[in-house]
Amino acid sequence: MTRRRISILGATGSIGQNTIDLIRRDSKAFDVVALTGASNISQLACDAIDLQAEVAVTAHQDLLPDLKSALAGSDVEAGAGQTAIVEAATRSADWVMSAIVGAAGLAPGLAALEAGTTLALANKESLVCAGGLLLETARKNDACILPVDSEHSAVFQSLVGEDIESVERIIITASGGAFRDWPIEKLAQATPEQAASHPNWSMGQRITIDSASMFNKALELIETKEFFGVSSDQIEAVVHPESLIHAFVGFRDGALMAHVGPHDMRHAIGFALNWPKRKQLPVERLDLAAIGQLNFRVPDEKRWPALRLARDVMDRGGLSGAVFNAAKECALDGFIDGRIGFPKMAEVVEEVLNSINPSHIDAKMTLDNVEQADHVARHAARALIEKRAG
Ligand code: NAD
Ligand code: MG
């Protein structure tokens, strides 16, 4: 069996560590080329030495001496800074995991595609900010993008052997997050600690708060449109408190295919890692009789205005996704820092979307213009948050 050369961008995070777990369990199948991280130097160095990676890179230039000393005595090269991450992403590999969080994941993912490498894409912000650019780069370089977000992996798996033309609708599920049963009037008093406690599983603070506000689902609706190329009126979200069905694909003959599985990201990661084969994965096998029943509800857009904003972004197109994502990241910072209340996050994002000069949204989709739209939106969002907090 030929060993596959793989790299993990964002190796120290939740998705990165789950990817490493799968690689360790099947170590004869892979050679690790590059691992990247940010401030968790000991984790990065430890994994790079253990997996005999060629190179380990931290996003922070000032942490290079720490990384070098943590790697001392090993054969692993050390690198630092965004340019070094992009360089790591383009080292000869068969498969690259894009699991950096936020818009910082876009440039390295694009670089991997330019090198013709298969990109396993967990970094949903890349598709939201620059879906067209990412897909075009993949097409031009004969590279493949495999979705890792669980809903999109579920849709992708439901589409194997199907014709996208026969798809009538795509429904992605949402847990509803921490506040799905709170009275709407109480949301203004919600604290970051309350928003960061997920009813079904444990994730990082930011993505958990994004689940409570449904900004995470809003990003995923946009991601669905960009990746599968369907129109916004073919895409829906449904609240499914058990979170065992990840997505449905409805076909024009009325058939509805559901992807059912445990909430364990190693399923979607493992599917992308082994694609087009399926290998055994260490995930729970569901006992349907013990589960008993599954429930679904229409998401209330008064409770979760982020869903309405996502529809607006899908209809506007252009660089509005980059504006939306940047404004959302700033609004989330404002909520976490106690400067704005929970419902104000959506108000800030909506105001930024409406106030931004259309020239930024209509600009050609290049990496520079995406970064410019991101920059302008962050500036506008921070100014609004200052005004509201003051
Ligand atoms: P995380 O915060 O746990 O890890 C993020 C990784 O990115 C870390 O390795 C960190 O060192 C690195 N990083 C952070 N800032 C960076 C920067 N500026 N430059 C370079 N590297 C940087 O995040 P996560 O939960 O693993 O999520 C990663 C991506 O996958 C996100 O886009 C998220 O939306 C998506 N995703 C996550 C899950 C999940 O269950 N955790 C599910 C679906 C999709
Ligand atoms: Mg998801």
Side-chain angles (χ1 to χ4, degrees):
M1 184 174 59
T2 42
R3 293 165 72 96
R4 290 168 67 215
R5 290 171 57 80
I6 71 164
S7 292
I8 306 173
L9 312 175
T12 55
S14 162
I15 295 286
Q17 289 292 299
N18 275 307
T19 311
I20 287 176
D21 175 70
L22 293 179
I23 287 164
R24 282 209 173 99
R25 290 165 189 269
D26 194 10
S27 58
K28 288 197 176 67
F30 306 106
D31 283 321
V32 175
V33 180
L35 297 183
T36 81
S39 41
N40 192 346
I41 297 297
S42 57
Q43 182 78 62
L44 178 63
C46 208
D47 287 333
I49 293 170
D50 181 50
L51 296 168
Q52 298 177 299
E54 287 176 13
V55 61
V57 184
T58 161
H60 303 305
Q61 202 79 55
D62 54 328
L63 293 180
L64 184 58
D66 294 0
L67 181 59
K68 280 190 172 160
S69 75
L71 292 172
S74 75
D75 291 333
V76 185
E77 287 170 53
Q82 294 300 334
T83 315
I85 290 185
V86 169
E87 190 274 327
T90 57
R91 285 204 180 198
S92 160
D94 301 300
W95 188 92
V96 171
M97 165 56 80
S98 165
I100 289 172
V101 65
L106 175 59
L110 273 174
L113 290 173
E114 276 161 9
T117 313
T118 295
L119 189 70
L121 191 65
N123 176 262
K124 61 189 84 183
E125 297 88 349
S126 301
L127 274 171
V128 170
C129 296
L133 180 61
L134 218 61
L135 265 59
E136 175 68 5
T137 306
R139 196 189 54 75
K140 275 194 184 147
N141 294 284
D142 212 11
C144 175
I145 304 177
L146 299 168
V148 172
D149 211 347
S150 56
E151 296 76 5
H152 306 79
S153 173
V155 173
F156 188 87
Q157 293 182 48
S158 305
L159 284 172
V160 170
E162 302 285 354
D163 174 6
I164 190 78
E165 294 300 314
S166 64
V167 172
E168 206 167 55
R169 58 186 177 143
I170 294 178
I171 306 168
I172 61 172
T173 58
S175 68
F179 304 142
R180 72 179 171 223
D181 299 317
W182 275 39
I184 293 183
E185 319 77 70
K186 225 183 115 188
L187 292 178
Q189 279 89 54
T191 64
E193 293 68 35
Q194 288 166 326
S197 84
H198 199 282
N200 296 359
W201 57 78
S202 156
M203 300 184 290
Q205 181 201 35
R206 295 181 74 84
I207 193 167
T208 309
I209 299 175
D210 279 349
S211 289
S213 63
M214 285 240 200
F215 267 111
N216 183 50
K217 211 46 56 182
L219 294 175
E220 291 180 357
L221 288 170
I222 303 166
E223 194 186 356
T224 303
K225 175 173 186 280
E226 295 297 332
F227 190 80
F228 296 103
V230 291
S231 65
S232 60
D233 57 6
Q234 290 176 287
I235 307 167
E236 297 163 43
V238 68
V239 177
H240 169 40
E242 294 84 5
S243 303
L244 293 174
I245 296 189
H246 304 294
F248 298 89
V249 178
F251 295 91
R252 61 184 166 206
D253 60 357
L256 203 51
M257 304 271 263
H259 182 282
V260 192
H263 15 89
D264 184 331
M265 284 308 295
R266 290 177 304 176
H267 176 78
I269 296 167
F271 179 82
L273 185 61
N274 300 314
W275 183 85
K277 291 195 180 127
R278 282 188 190 267
K279 282 195 185 175
Q280 199 160 29
L281 293 174
V283 299
E284 182 197 346
R285 271 51 176 172
L286 294 180
D287 177 344
L288 293 176
I291 293 161
Q293 61 177 18
L294 299 175
N295 293 281
F296 304 96
R297 306 182 208 161
V298 175
D300 175 0
E301 292 192 358
K302 285 208 187 67
R303 180 184 297 278
W304 293 298
L307 298 178
R308 174 174 54 76
L309 299 179
R311 217 155 277 292
D312 186 23
V313 168
M314 289 192 282
D315 293 340
R316 286 188 203 213
L319 301 187
S320 60
V323 170
F324 177 79
N325 179 62
K328 190 258 352 163
E329 290 201 1
C330 292
L332 179 58
D333 291 337
F335 173 62
I336 292 172
D337 299 346
R339 280 173 295 144
I340 55 171
F342 184 82
K344 295 279 183 236
M345 285 192 284
E347 289 178 30
V348 166
V349 174
E350 183 161 23
E351 222 169 306
V352 172
L353 274 170
N354 290 336
S355 68
I356 213 92
N357 189 318
S359 65
H360 291 296
I361 287 178
D362 300 334
K364 187 168 185 287
M365 193 176 276
T366 62
L367 186 55
D368 281 351
N369 286 343
V370 170
E371 286 173 352
Q372 179 66 14
D374 176 285
H375 178 77
V376 171
R378 278 176 204 270
H379 185 75
R382 287 190 189 119
L384 272 173
I385 292 165
E386 283 311 311
K387 210 166 85 187
R388 279 163 190 267

mmCIF file of all heavy atoms in Angstrom, residues 128-146:
data_model
loop_
_atom_site.group_PDB
_atom_site.id
_atom_site.type_symbol
_atom_site.label_atom_id
_atom_site.label_comp_id
_atom_site.label_asym_id
_atom_site.label_seq_id
_atom_site.Cartn_x
_atom_site.Cartn_y
_atom_site.Cartn_z
ATOM 1 N N VAL A 128 -17.656 30.746 2.849
ATOM 2 C CA VAL A 128 -18.565 31.882 3.051
ATOM 3 C C VAL A 128 -17.948 33.151 2.463
ATOM 4 O O VAL A 128 -18.625 33.940 1.807
ATOM 5 C CB VAL A 128 -18.872 32.054 4.564
ATOM 6 C CG1 VAL A 128 -19.599 33.351 4.837
ATOM 7 C CG2 VAL A 128 -19.683 30.868 5.055
ATOM 8 N N CYS A 129 -16.645 33.341 2.690
ATOM 9 C CA CYS A 129 -15.992 34.579 2.240
ATOM 10 C C CYS A 129 -15.666 34.547 0.755
ATOM 11 O O CYS A 129 -15.682 35.584 0.103
ATOM 12 C CB CYS A 129 -14.683 34.808 2.993
ATOM 13 S SG CYS A 129 -14.909 35.061 4.739
ATOM 14 N N ALA A 130 -15.311 33.387 0.225
ATOM 15 C CA ALA A 130 -14.771 33.357 -1.131
ATOM 16 C C ALA A 130 -15.058 32.029 -1.821
ATOM 17 O O ALA A 130 -14.173 31.432 -2.432
ATOM 18 C CB ALA A 130 -13.259 33.594 -1.068
ATOM 19 N N GLY A 131 -16.311 31.583 -1.732
ATOM 20 C CA GLY A 131 -16.662 30.285 -2.304
ATOM 21 C C GLY A 131 -16.311 30.183 -3.783
ATOM 22 O O GLY A 131 -15.712 29.201 -4.216
ATOM 23 N N GLY A 132 -16.665 31.227 -4.540
ATOM 24 C CA GLY A 132 -16.432 31.203 -5.989
ATOM 25 C C GLY A 132 -14.950 31.063 -6.305
ATOM 26 O O GLY A 132 -14.553 30.283 -7.187
ATOM 27 N N LEU A 133 -14.136 31.803 -5.568
ATOM 28 C CA LEU A 133 -12.685 31.780 -5.790
ATOM 29 C C LEU A 133 -12.108 30.403 -5.459
ATOM 30 O O LEU A 133 -11.286 29.851 -6.209
ATOM 31 C CB LEU A 133 -12.041 32.870 -4.911
ATOM 32 C CG LEU A 133 -10.529 33.013 -4.981
ATOM 33 C CD1 LEU A 133 -10.068 33.363 -6.386
ATOM 34 C CD2 LEU A 133 -10.060 34.087 -3.989
ATOM 35 N N LEU A 134 -12.573 29.830 -4.369
ATOM 36 C CA LEU A 134 -12.080 28.529 -3.929
ATOM 37 C C LEU A 134 -12.422 27.440 -4.967
ATOM 38 O O LEU A 134 -11.572 26.646 -5.371
ATOM 39 C CB LEU A 134 -12.747 28.200 -2.592
ATOM 40 C CG LEU A 134 -11.927 27.516 -1.537
ATOM 41 C CD1 LEU A 134 -10.749 28.342 -1.109
ATOM 42 C CD2 LEU A 134 -12.783 27.217 -0.324
ATOM 43 N N LEU A 135 -13.675 27.439 -5.415
ATOM 44 C CA LEU A 135 -14.115 26.418 -6.371
ATOM 45 C C LEU A 135 -13.425 26.579 -7.720
ATOM 46 O O LEU A 135 -13.035 25.597 -8.354
ATOM 47 C CB LEU A 135 -15.643 26.465 -6.532
ATOM 48 C CG LEU A 135 -16.412 25.485 -5.656
ATOM 49 C CD1 LEU A 135 -16.164 25.662 -4.186
ATOM 50 C CD2 LEU A 135 -17.903 25.559 -5.931
ATOM 51 N N GLU A 136 -13.255 27.832 -8.140
ATOM 52 C CA GLU A 136 -12.589 28.113 -9.411
ATOM 53 C C GLU A 136 -11.110 27.679 -9.350
ATOM 54 O O GLU A 136 -10.582 27.086 -10.293
ATOM 55 C CB GLU A 136 -12.719 29.630 -9.687
ATOM 56 C CG GLU A 136 -12.000 30.180 -10.888
ATOM 57 C CD GLU A 136 -12.586 29.691 -12.206
ATOM 58 O OE1 GLU A 136 -13.611 28.989 -12.189
ATOM 59 O OE2 GLU A 136 -11.974 30.005 -13.245
ATOM 60 N N THR A 137 -10.480 27.949 -8.208
ATOM 61 C CA THR A 137 -9.070 27.562 -8.044
ATOM 62 C C THR A 137 -8.949 26.035 -8.082
ATOM 63 O O THR A 137 -8.029 25.487 -8.702
ATOM 64 C CB THR A 137 -8.511 28.122 -6.709
ATOM 65 O OG1 THR A 137 -8.757 29.518 -6.689
ATOM 66 C CG2 THR A 137 -7.032 27.872 -6.561
ATOM 67 N N ALA A 138 -9.896 25.358 -7.442
ATOM 68 C CA ALA A 138 -9.877 23.885 -7.459
ATOM 69 C C ALA A 138 -10.036 23.387 -8.892
ATOM 70 O O ALA A 138 -9.299 22.505 -9.345
ATOM 71 C CB ALA A 138 -10.987 23.335 -6.574
ATOM 72 N N ARG A 139 -10.987 23.987 -9.623
ATOM 73 C CA ARG A 139 -11.277 23.535 -10.983
ATOM 74 C C ARG A 139 -10.051 23.730 -11.888
ATOM 75 O O ARG A 139 -9.643 22.820 -12.605
ATOM 76 C CB ARG A 139 -12.477 24.323 -11.526
ATOM 77 C CG ARG A 139 -13.140 23.716 -12.752
ATOM 78 C CD ARG A 139 -14.174 24.645 -13.370
ATOM 79 N NE ARG A 139 -13.654 25.965 -13.690
ATOM 80 C CZ ARG A 139 -12.854 26.262 -14.712
ATOM 81 N NH1 ARG A 139 -12.474 25.315 -15.540
ATOM 82 N NH2 ARG A 139 -12.428 27.494 -14.915
ATOM 83 N N LYS A 140 -9.450 24.930 -11.799
ATOM 84 C CA LYS A 140 -8.300 25.252 -12.666
ATOM 85 C C LYS A 140 -7.111 24.337 -12.405
ATOM 86 O O LYS A 140 -6.310 24.084 -13.291
ATOM 87 C CB LYS A 140 -7.853 26.693 -12.390
ATOM 88 C CG LYS A 140 -8.623 27.731 -13.178
ATOM 89 C CD LYS A 140 -7.879 29.049 -13.089
ATOM 90 C CE LYS A 140 -8.626 30.155 -13.773
ATOM 91 N NZ LYS A 140 -8.414 31.442 -13.087
ATOM 92 N N ASN A 141 -6.964 23.895 -11.154
ATOM 93 C CA ASN A 141 -5.782 23.105 -10.805
ATOM 94 C C ASN A 141 -6.087 21.626 -10.648
ATOM 95 O O ASN A 141 -5.273 20.874 -10.121
ATOM 96 C CB ASN A 141 -5.169 23.665 -9.510
ATOM 97 C CG ASN A 141 -4.631 25.066 -9.718
ATOM 98 O OD1 ASN A 141 -3.580 25.250 -10.314
ATOM 99 N ND2 ASN A 141 -5.387 26.059 -9.267
ATOM 100 N N ASP A 142 -7.285 21.243 -11.108
ATOM 101 C CA ASP A 142 -7.670 19.849 -11.056
ATOM 102 C C ASP A 142 -7.557 19.293 -9.629
ATOM 103 O O ASP A 142 -7.074 18.185 -9.414
ATOM 104 C CB ASP A 142 -6.756 19.055 -12.005
ATOM 105 C CG ASP A 142 -7.490 17.882 -12.593
ATOM 106 O OD1 ASP A 142 -8.719 17.831 -12.427
ATOM 107 O OD2 ASP A 142 -6.825 16.997 -13.187
ATOM 108 N N ALA A 143 -7.955 20.125 -8.675
ATOM 109 C CA ALA A 143 -7.873 19.724 -7.267
ATOM 110 C C ALA A 143 -9.289 19.488 -6.747
ATOM 111 O O ALA A 143 -10.252 20.011 -7.294
ATOM 112 C CB ALA A 143 -7.202 20.814 -6.445
ATOM 113 N N CYS A 144 -9.381 18.715 -5.683
ATOM 114 C CA CYS A 144 -10.692 18.326 -5.188
ATOM 115 C C CYS A 144 -10.912 18.936 -3.795
ATOM 116 O O CYS A 144 -9.989 18.989 -2.989
ATOM 117 C CB CYS A 144 -10.649 16.800 -5.152
ATOM 118 S SG CYS A 144 -12.048 16.049 -4.462
ATOM 119 N N ILE A 145 -12.137 19.411 -3.539
ATOM 120 C CA ILE A 145 -12.478 19.890 -2.190
ATOM 121 C C ILE A 145 -13.480 18.905 -1.588
ATOM 122 O O ILE A 145 -14.494 18.595 -2.219
ATOM 123 C CB ILE A 145 -13.131 21.294 -2.225
ATOM 124 C CG1 ILE A 145 -12.233 22.304 -2.946
ATOM 125 C CG2 ILE A 145 -13.437 21.773 -0.812
ATOM 126 C CD1 ILE A 145 -12.845 23.700 -3.079
ATOM 127 N N LEU A 146 -13.172 18.422 -0.387
ATOM 128 C CA LEU A 146 -14.094 17.509 0.306
ATOM 129 C C LEU A 146 -14.622 18.205 1.558
ATOM 130 O O LEU A 146 -13.825 18.651 2.393
ATOM 131 C CB LEU A 146 -13.351 16.229 0.709
ATOM 132 C CG LEU A 146 -12.777 15.419 -0.449
ATOM 133 C CD1 LEU A 146 -11.819 14.350 0.077
ATOM 134 C CD2 LEU A 146 -13.907 14.767 -1.237
#
